[in-house]
Amino acid sequence: MDRWTEMEVLVQIAETGTLSGAADALGLSSSSASRYLVSLEDRRGASLVMRNTRRLQLTEAGRAYLARVRTTLAQLADADAAVGADMAEPRGVLRV
């Protein structure tokens, strides 16, 4: 599974409080978002989200992991933006 998407699913769950809200925000199906979350929890070896019928809440481990994930995703977005900005302006010699 894509680790970046797993982290994005966790962030969206924290923001929306529901799996379907997280899935909608990321353009995924609810079942795909659920698989991403289960994969993330399996790899971490810890439950990151407490599930009940109405809402999802982060566990203590989930809150700690979320803080680092948000930083990581922000740095990735900054790196992508920096590369995109460098590539947007033409460079070099133009010979006609």
Side-chain angles (χ1 to χ4, degrees):
M1 295 229 119
D2 177 21
R3 289 184 180 195
W4 299 117
T5 304
E6 290 173 352
M7 289 187 272
E8 288 174 336
V9 166
L10 183 67
V11 170
Q12 289 301 319
I13 286 172
E15 291 179 5
T16 64
T18 64
L19 191 60
S20 61
D24 288 344
L26 295 171
L28 300 171
S29 67
S30 291
S31 61
S32 291
S34 179
R35 282 192 300 269
Y36 280 114
L37 177 60
V38 168
S39 175
L40 178 64
E41 289 179 324
D42 287 347
R43 200 172 55 262
R44 296 285 64 94
S47 177
L48 302 175
V49 177
M50 289 185 296
R51 298 155 176 85
N52 67 34
T53 56
R54 293 185 180 246
R55 219 158 146 75
L56 302 177
Q57 293 181 333
L58 296 178
T59 63
E60 187 174 327
R63 285 190 296 275
Y65 190 67
L66 177 67
R68 291 181 181 237
V69 163
R70 281 189 168 147
T71 302
T72 300
L73 290 175
Q75 289 174 343
L76 178 63
D78 288 346
D80 285 346
V83 169
D86 287 344
M87 299 304 292
E89 294 182 27
R91 293 188 188 161
V93 177
L94 175 63
R95 294 186 180 149
V96 180

